[in-house]
Amino acid sequence: MSPMIPILLFLLAPDTAGYWQQRAAYHITAALDEPAGVLVGHARITYVNRSPDTLRDFFVHQYLNAFRPGSRWSAADAAEGRVRFQRLRDPDYAFERITDATVMGERARPDYPYAPDSTIAHWALPRPLVPGDSAVMEIDWRARPSTLPRRQGRQGRRLDFAQWYPKVVVYDRWGWQDHPLYPAGEFYGEFATYDVMLDLPQDQIIGATGVVVEGDPGWERAKADPRLRIDYQRGWYGSRAPAPGPGCGAVATGRKCVHFHAEQVHHFAFSLNPRYVYDEGRYGDVVVRVLYLPEDSATWGRGIAARNTEVALAWLDSLYGKFAWPTLTNVHRIEGGGTEFPMMVMDGSAGLGLIVHEVGHNYTMGILANNEWREAFLDEGFTSFQTSWFFERHGSPSAYPALEADVLMLDLDRWSEPVSMPSERFRDFVTYNQMVYDKAHLFYEQLRYVVGDEMMRRILRAYYARWKLKHVDEEAFREVAEQVSRQDLKWLFGQWLHGTPLIDYSLKHVQRTRQADGRWLTGVTIERKGDGFMPVEIGTQGRGGAADTVYARATGRPALERIEFTTPKRPGPLMLDPRVRAHDYNMLNNRERHGLLGGTGAWTLRIDDPFQEAARRDRGVRGLLPVLWSNDFGGVTVGLRERANYLGAYNRALLLGTVATRRGASPALGLYGRWSNPIGQIRPRTATSLAAWAVEGRAGAKIQVDHALRQRLVDAVDPHVGFDAVWMATTGLGYLDRRLWDDAGTVEAGPWVSTTRTRGTTVRRARLGAHVGVLYWNPGPGIVASNRYDVEAFGRVTGEASVRSPSWGARLFAGAYLGSSYPVRQRRIAIAGADPYETFTNPFLRSQGALLVRPDFHYHAPGGANVRGFRPDLGGRWAVGLNLEATPWVLRRDQGILRRLGFEVFADGGVVDTTVIPSSPPGQWYTTVWDLGVGLVTRHQVKELAWTMRFEVPLAVNRWDNARDFAPGDKTFAFRWQVSLGPTF
C-alpha cells in the first residue's frame, strides 16, 4: 500500500463532525501616549454564537492586569518566594482599565468575578444570545505594560505590547474558559479577524501580527540593506481587507497611523522601538520580517535571524504542512527567552534553537490552538519535541538520553505529577516547567518509539491537515494518532499524561534451541515488576560504536511474558531494552546471566577518575583506583579503592582494601565498605547507607537515614530529618593518636534535623542532633575475673546555625556531653575543629603521624566550636562557639583550576568547659577563648571535584599556651599559621 493512502483515507473521514468554534472580529483603534507608556484604545467586537448553547454572559481577558499587585499571578509568585510584580508601584506596574463599555447597545460596567484579580472581566448580557445570533460589544480602555518585562514590558521608547486589549474569552464545548492568568500556563484564544489601527509617534518602528494594509511601519528607513525591496503584502487578503469600518484618518503632526489586518488568528501582538533595524527573508509564500537593535547586528544581522527563521519554517513545513499565514515577524524583545504569538515571535536572542522552538509554537498553539493553561503539554512539550528532533535530523546528538535520565530522577523521587494537569495545579512553577516541557517532550518521544519515525511523521501531518486553525485537545490528537497508526494508544496517553507510574522489567530466563534448518529459536521470559508498562525490546548492545541489535519487541503488559524469535545464528548474551527506550528505571536486572561465574554484565569496570565520577543509564559503573598514604605505625599504606554507582545516585558503594607495609604493624590489613541507596528498595527523597570497617586499629559500623521534607522544588527551604546509629571500637593502640583517642568504644544512635535556606547568593543552615548510647572501656585488670569492662550510658547533643554569603559568614555552635564520667577523648565536644569520629574516614587525618596531623604541620579540620587558633585535641563536656569571617574576593572566574582568590579576616570566640582550659581568673564555671587572624582563601575545580584551600594566620590567641602553633615565648600576639582543604563552615 502506498504510504499516502492511510492519510488520504484519513482526510476523507468526517472526524471533525460536530466540531464548532465561535467567530469574532475586532476593529481596534488605539493611540500611544509614549511618555506615559499608556495606550488609549477603542474596540468594536462582533461576536457570533456558533455553539449549540444559548449564552447569557460575556467575558474578556485583561491580561496586563496580571503584572501588578493584587493579581493571582502576584499571589502565586509570593507563595513560591518570587518577588516580581507584587511590590511594583505606580508608574512601574502594568494595567488594563476599561473606561467605558457598551454591550448589545446598552452601556454596562463589567464586574470582576476573581477579584482582587482583574484579568477576567464579565458582563451579564442584556438579552440571551441564541445559537446563530451575533452581538456587538464596544469597549474603551487604557493599557500600560510594566517596566519589569514578562511576556510584555516597556523600557524607555521600547515597548512590547504582547497583551494589551480586551480579548474575548473562548467559549467551547466545556463552556466559558474564564481563567485568570497565572505564571504557570499561558493563553487560549478565539480565532478572529483583526483590524488594528495604531496612532504612533512618527519615528516609531513596529512589528506586529498580520500584514500592513495602510500607513508606514517604519521599515523603509530601518532596513539594514538599502537595496532591499520590502514586500509589504498589502494585497494579501484582497477585497477582504480592510474590514468594514473606517481606516486610518488624520493624525497630529509628528504622528502616524499604521493599519494591520489579520485573519484566522487568536491574538494580536506588536512591538515598538525607534531604533529597530529591519531585515527580511522568505520561505515560499511566507515573508519573514526581523526587527533587531543596531548593537546586535553581529548576532541578528547579516541575515542570521532571517535565515534561522526560514530554516525553522522549512523544518516545520516538512513536519506538519504549509504555514497557514502570509507572514512571520521575529522581533528582539526586551526580556530574554521567547514568547510566541500568531504570525509573530518575540525572542531574546537569535539562536537557532530558540527560534525553532518559538516558531514551532506558531504551529502548536497558533495554528493547532490548544488551551495552554489546561493542556500545556500540547504546545510546550510538542514544540520541545520537534525542536529536539530538528537538531537530531541535522546531525546533533539526540537529546533523548539526557532528557530521559533527567525525567527518570524526577519520577524516582516522586516529584513528577500527571502531565495533563491544569497548569496552576502543579505543586509549583518548577514542577510545571519540568512536566509540560520535559516530561511532555519525553511523552512524544515515547509515542515516536511506539509507532516509529515514519508513522510519527504521518500522524503529525494528518493532525495538522485535520485540525489546523481549530481548537485542539488531547482527544483530538490521540484520535488522529490512533487512526493513522491503527493502534490503540489509550494506554500510552493514560500512563504518560494522566499518571506517574514506574516501569521495571527483569529478564528471567532465556532458552535457545537449534532448529533442523540450522537456525536458532530463542525464547525469552520477561517479568514486569513496575506498575507501568511499555513495549520492551529484546536484543544486544553494540560494542565499540557498533549499532544495537534488536531481535524482538515484547508488549510489556503481562506480569510474565514469553517472546520467541528466530535468528540465522545463535544470539549472544541478551538484554532487555538495549536502546533504553522503555523508561525502565532498573536496568541492572535486564541482562541474561552468562559465563562461568553467571554474571550479567550489568556493571562495567574501569579505572576511576578521582576528579569525576562516571555514571551510566544502562548499567552500573565500578571504578578502581590505587591509593597510597602513610602514618607512623603502619608506615606506607597501599590499597585499592572501588567506587560504584548506578545512575549516579543508586547502588552507591565505596570499598577499600589496604595493607600497611611497616614491619610489625598489626593489624596490617584494613577494610572499609559503604553501601547506599539500593535501586531495588527505592524510598523517594530518602538516602540510606550502611558502612562497616576494620582499619588502622578501629572497627565499627554505621547506619544512616536522611529523608528530605521539602514539599516543592521551588521552595527555598530544604528541611531534612534523619537517624544515625554507629558503633566504633578501638582494636589496635599503635595507630591511635592518644591525644585524640582513648582505648574505648561506643554504641550510640539518635535523630537529627537540619534545614537549609537559600535566598539569592545567601545560604542559611541549621542542624540539631542528639545521640544516646553506651560507652565502654576495653578490658583492664579485674578484681574477681582477670578482665573487666567498664560500661556507662551517655548522651551527646550538638547544634549549629550559620549564614553564608559570597563575602561574609557567621556561625554559632553549641554542644554538650551528658554522662556521669568525664568523656573519653574521641567523644568530647571539640573546641577547635572536627572530632575524631568526623575525621575518621580521611586517611590523612585518621591515625598518628598521618600527612595532615604531623607535629610539624598545622592543619585545621572544620567542625565543633571551630575556634580555629587552638589545638585540635582540646575538648570537654561542653562548648559554645561563634565564628565570623569576611572574604573580599580579588579574583573570580568560571574557567580553569583556580576559580576564586580572596583575602580573609576572621574572629572566633567561645566559652568552654573549665576542665579543658582552666578559667582565668580561677573559680569561674567557664573559660573564655578567642582568636583573631587573617588569611588567603582560594577555590579550585577540576572537572566535578571542587575544593577550598585556606592559609590562615591566627595573629591573636587569648590562651596562647593552648594555641595550635605554639612556640616558647609566644604571647597573645604572635605569628602562627595553619592550612585547610575545606571551608570553615
Side-chain angles (χ1 to χ4, degrees):
M1 177 184 290
S2 166
M4 291 301 297
I5 291 178
I7 295 180
L8 293 174
L9 294 174
F10 169 82
L11 293 176
L12 294 174
D15 291 301
T16 57
Y19 172 81
W20 51 267
Q21 64 190 38
Q22 307 289 58
R23 180 184 296 166
Y26 296 83
H27 187 274
I28 297 175
T29 58
L32 175 64
D33 178 356
E34 190 178 280
V38 175
L39 197 72
V40 180
H42 173 84
R44 177 183 175 88
I45 304 172
T46 304
Y47 184 81
V48 180
N49 181 14
R50 302 176 70 185
S51 80
D53 307 321
T54 297
L55 305 184
R56 291 175 170 81
D57 300 280
F58 188 73
F59 297 85
V60 296
H61 295 284
Q62 293 186 265
Y63 284 131
L64 272 179
N65 288 335
F67 311 111
R68 57 173 297 145
S71 68
R72 293 206 175 185
W73 180 301
S74 289
D77 276 351
E80 297 185 14
R82 292 185 299 273
V83 178
R84 289 193 284 194
F85 304 101
Q86 62 266 43
R87 297 183 185 176
L88 292 184
R89 297 189 177 187
D90 195 17
D92 293 317
Y93 60 75
F95 64 74
E96 185 179 328
R97 297 170 183 160
I98 293 175
T99 56
D100 195 13
T102 301
V103 178
M104 294 176 141
E106 297 185 14
R107 293 188 68 182
R109 294 177 60 87
D111 61 81
Y112 292 88
Y114 301 99
D117 180 275
S118 55
T119 56
I120 294 290
H122 163 262
W123 291 267
L125 293 178
R127 58 177 176 81
L129 189 64
V130 299
D133 199 359
S134 65
V136 175
M137 289 73 176
E138 302 215 29
I139 302 172
D140 294 325
W141 82 98
R142 295 166 58 86
R144 181 182 72 188
S146 65
T147 57
L148 179 65
R150 184 68 183 109
R151 301 178 185 162
Q152 50 76 48
R154 73 183 199 274
Q155 188 181 82
R157 301 195 66 196
R158 189 178 182 185
L159 300 105
D160 290 337
F161 279 97
Q163 294 87 35
W164 58 282
Y165 62 95
K167 178 179 176 179
V168 176
V169 168
V170 173
Y171 185 86
D172 60 17
R173 59 178 175 155
W174 308 110
W176 285 106
Q177 299 301 306
D178 52 318
H179 185 264
L181 185 61
Y182 293 85
E186 296 185 54
F187 313 110
Y188 186 34
E190 203 73 82
F191 281 96
T193 297
Y194 285 82
D195 262 297
V196 179
M197 283 141 285
L198 299 171
D199 183 337
L200 306 171
Q202 181 67 45
D203 64 341
Q204 275 287 7
I205 300 165
I206 183 171
T209 299
V211 299
V212 179
V213 295
E214 188 179 1
D216 175 20
W219 302 337
E220 191 65 38
R221 70 175 180 83
K223 60 187 181 183
D225 182 358
R227 299 167 298 176
L228 175 67
R229 298 186 63 182
I230 297 173
D231 185 353
Y232 288 92
Q233 299 177 292
R234 295 186 191 273
W236 178 269
Y237 289 107
S239 60
R240 299 193 304 277
C248 283
V251 295
T253 302
R255 308 282 294 184
K256 66 179 177 182
C257 175
V258 187
H259 182 180
F260 287 88
H261 183 81
E263 297 181 5
Q264 293 186 303
V265 295
H266 47 74
H267 190 55
F268 186 99
F270 67 96
S271 177
L272 299 170
N273 193 335
R275 298 180 62 242
Y276 272 145
V277 177
Y278 178 88
D279 199 2
E280 186 174 295
R282 179 181 291 274
Y283 175 73
D285 295 334
V286 182
V287 175
V288 173
R289 310 187 193 280
V290 174
L291 293 167
Y292 62 91
L293 301 178
E295 57 266 29
D296 298 317
S297 60
T299 53
W300 283 75
R302 302 193 301 274
I304 294 172
R307 284 193 299 274
N308 286 349
T309 308
E310 292 164 1
V311 167
L313 285 169
W315 162 249
L316 294 159
D317 184 307
S318 72
L319 208 59
Y320 296 101
K322 182 178 172 58
F323 193 64
W325 297 314
T327 186
L328 178 63
T329 299
N330 187 348
V331 303
H332 189 181
R333 71 176 187 175
I334 300 170
E335 188 184 8
T339 302
E340 65 282 354
F341 310 97
M343 291 197 223
M344 187 176 190
V345 291
M346 294 185 180
D347 287 327
S349 78
L352 181 59
L354 178 63
I355 289 176
V356 172
H357 180 97
E358 299 302 338
V359 174
H361 274 307
N362 266 257
Y363 281 80
T364 51
M365 185 288 294
I367 301 169
L368 298 164
N370 64 297
N371 184 333
E372 290 188 88
W373 61 263
R374 186 182 293 278
E375 294 180 316
F377 66 91
L378 278 172
D379 61 287
E380 298 298 356
F382 226 140
T383 201
S384 295
F385 164 71
Q386 65 82 11
T387 303
S388 173
W389 200 357
F390 166 84
F391 283 105
E392 184 182 324
R393 287 298 300 266
H394 288 77
S396 297
S398 172
Y400 174 85
L403 170 73
E404 191 270 343
D406 289 345
V407 171
L408 179 63
M409 300 309 290
L410 294 170
D411 292 344
L412 292 176
D413 270 340
R414 291 308 193 187
W415 289 117
S416 290
E417 294 186 289
V419 171
S420 62
M421 288 172 55
S423 296
E424 77 277 8
R425 295 185 187 173
F426 287 99
R427 70 170 65 87
D428 56 57
F429 188 62
V430 173
T431 303
Y432 157 79
N433 278 303
Q434 291 178 321
M435 293 300 101
V436 306
Y437 286 84
D438 297 341
K439 192 162 186 179
H441 173 182
L442 185 59
F443 159 70
Y444 294 106
E445 293 282 3
Q446 299 304 80
L447 175 60
R448 175 185 166 196
Y449 161 67
V450 169
V451 303
D453 280 17
E454 181 55 36
M455 187 58 70
M456 187 69 179
R457 283 181 169 275
R458 297 183 193 178
I459 289 170
L460 297 186
R461 294 189 73 81
Y463 176 49
Y464 184 74
R466 176 185 290 180
W467 286 102
K468 65 182 177 182
L469 302 175
K470 297 181 178 69
H471 292 136
V472 296
D473 56 19
E474 176 193 337
E475 182 182 353
F477 179 62
R478 178 178 52 77
E479 286 182 351
V480 171
E482 288 183 325
Q483 291 173 14
V484 174
S485 68
R486 300 180 182 178
Q487 295 187 47
D488 179 359
L489 297 171
K490 296 179 184 65
W491 62 271
L492 182 72
F493 281 68
Q495 286 187 115
W496 282 88
L497 300 179
H498 299 274
T500 58
L502 293 177
I503 298 167
D504 181 26
Y505 293 98
S506 174
L507 197 157
K508 298 295 291 182
H509 182 67
V510 177
Q511 181 180 12
R512 296 176 177 84
T513 306
R514 189 163 189 174
Q515 305 292 90
D517 60 1
R519 296 190 300 167
W520 287 83
L521 176 65
T522 303
V524 179
T525 302
I526 301 168
E527 179 182 7
R528 179 167 68 86
K529 305 182 78 171
D531 51 359
F533 61 88
M534 280 288 290
V536 58
E537 295 173 335
I538 304 165
T540 57
Q541 280 191 321
R543 295 185 177 182
D548 300 327
T549 300
V550 176
Y551 296 113
R553 180 185 282 194
T555 67
R557 298 190 184 193
L560 283 175
E561 184 174 8
R562 179 177 169 83
I563 298 295
E564 292 185 343
F565 59 88
T566 302
T567 55
K569 297 181 180 179
R570 188 183 192 276
L574 297 177
M575 72 171 292
L576 305 179
D577 197 22
R579 299 193 300 144
V580 196
R581 297 305 305 230
H583 203 52
D584 184 338
Y585 74 84
N586 179 13
M587 298 194 70
L588 300 182
N589 58 11
N590 282 27
R591 288 171 172 80
E592 175 188 6
R593 294 188 176 275
H594 62 278
L596 295 176
L597 299 179
T600 64
W603 292 84
T604 184
L605 190 65
R606 53 176 288 161
I607 300 298
D608 197 19
D609 183 345
F611 302 109
Q612 180 169 308
E613 186 174 15
R616 289 185 59 165
R617 172 68 180 91
D618 60 336
R619 65 180 67 195
V621 178
R622 288 192 171 108
L624 298 179
L625 187 71
V627 294
L628 176 73
W629 62 80
S630 69
N631 54 65
D632 287 349
F633 189 71
V636 175
T637 299
V638 297
L640 187 66
R641 186 189 77 177
E642 180 187 83
R643 189 165 58 161
N645 78 84
Y646 174 57
L647 290 175
Y650 297 95
N651 285 57
R652 296 188 63 84
L654 180 66
L655 303 176
L656 196 63
T658 61
V659 178
T661 62
R662 179 179 173 273
R663 182 175 297 180
S666 179
L669 298 179
L671 295 172
Y672 179 90
R674 184 175 69 238
W675 303 266
S676 61
N677 300 343
I679 189 69
Q681 302 292 328
I682 292 175
R683 300 289 182 269
R685 307 175 210 171
T686 301
T688 59
S689 69
L690 169 66
W693 58 85
V695 60
E696 294 184 6
R698 277 141 294 196
K702 186 174 186 179
I703 297 172
Q704 290 180 293
V705 179
D706 178 347
H707 178 61
L709 297 176
R710 185 169 57 156
Q711 297 299 305
R712 303 181 304 180
L713 288 168
V714 75
D715 287 344
V717 179
D718 185 14
H720 288 241
V721 297
F723 180 84
D724 299 337
V726 61
W727 164 55
M728 177 75 83
T730 54
T731 59
L733 300 182
Y735 287 98
L736 303 185
D737 183 341
R738 299 310 298 272
R739 299 174 305 160
L740 300 171
W741 292 84
D742 282 318
D743 189 14
T746 65
V747 179
E748 56 191 271
W752 57 266
V753 296
S754 73
T755 186
T756 301
R757 180 182 179 86
T758 303
R759 186 169 184 175
T761 58
T762 300
V763 180
R764 295 175 174 84
R765 294 185 175 90
R767 191 181 193 277
L768 177 65
H771 275 190
V772 295
V774 293
L775 162 70
Y776 62 91
W777 286 265
N778 284 338
I783 298 175
V784 178
S786 59
N787 294 318
R788 57 111 175 115
Y789 281 89
D790 289 333
V791 179
E792 177 180 290
F794 74 95
R796 197 170 187 272
V797 181
T798 59
E800 63 179 284
S802 67
V803 57
R804 171 72 80 178
S805 78
S807 58
W808 66 273
R811 172 181 178 267
L812 178 66
F813 169 87
Y817 178 93
L818 308 173
S820 57
S821 299
Y822 196 70
V824 293
R825 288 179 172 85
Q826 56 263 41
R827 298 315 282 145
R828 295 174 184 174
I829 303 300
I831 292 174
D835 66 54
Y837 278 24
E838 293 173 307
T839 61
F840 167 74
T841 55
N842 187 337
F844 302 114
L845 295 171
R846 180 165 50 220
S847 298
Q848 185 173 4
L851 178 64
L852 299 180
V853 291
R854 301 187 66 82
D856 56 350
F857 191 82
H858 306 294
Y859 184 83
H860 176 236
N866 227 21
V867 187
R868 71 195 83 183
F870 285 78
R871 297 198 325 260
D873 60 305
L874 295 175
R877 283 184 174 273
W878 62 269
V880 177
L882 175 65
N883 315 121
L884 302 172
E885 288 183 355
T887 311
W889 299 99
V890 296
L891 173 68
R892 296 171 183 263
R893 60 181 189 173
D894 298 324
Q895 304 256 333
I897 296 176
L898 178 62
R899 302 296 180 90
R900 298 286 189 275
L901 172 65
F903 297 104
E904 176 190 58
V905 179
F906 64 86
D908 308 307
V911 290
V912 302
D913 183 1
T914 57
T915 58
V916 182
I917 301 175
S919 63
S920 177
Q924 293 181 322
W925 60 272
Y926 64 89
T927 299
T928 302
V929 292
W930 57 263
D931 61 42
L932 299 169
V934 296
L936 186 69
V937 181
T938 58
R939 292 181 182 172
H940 309 262
Q941 185 165 340
V942 177
K943 298 182 181 178
E944 293 178 350
L945 181 65
W947 71 97
T948 297
M949 293 184 64
R950 291 183 287 123
F951 176 80
E952 295 176 329
V953 181
L955 295 172
V957 177
N958 73 321
R959 303 300 295 268
W960 62 86
D961 51 338
N962 290 287
R964 184 185 301 268
D965 178 16
F966 174 71
D970 283 354
K971 297 296 182 181
T972 299
F973 293 94
F975 178 80
R976 308 172 182 92
W977 66 272
Q978 62 193 41
V979 298
S980 182
L981 292 174
T984 317
F985 52 88

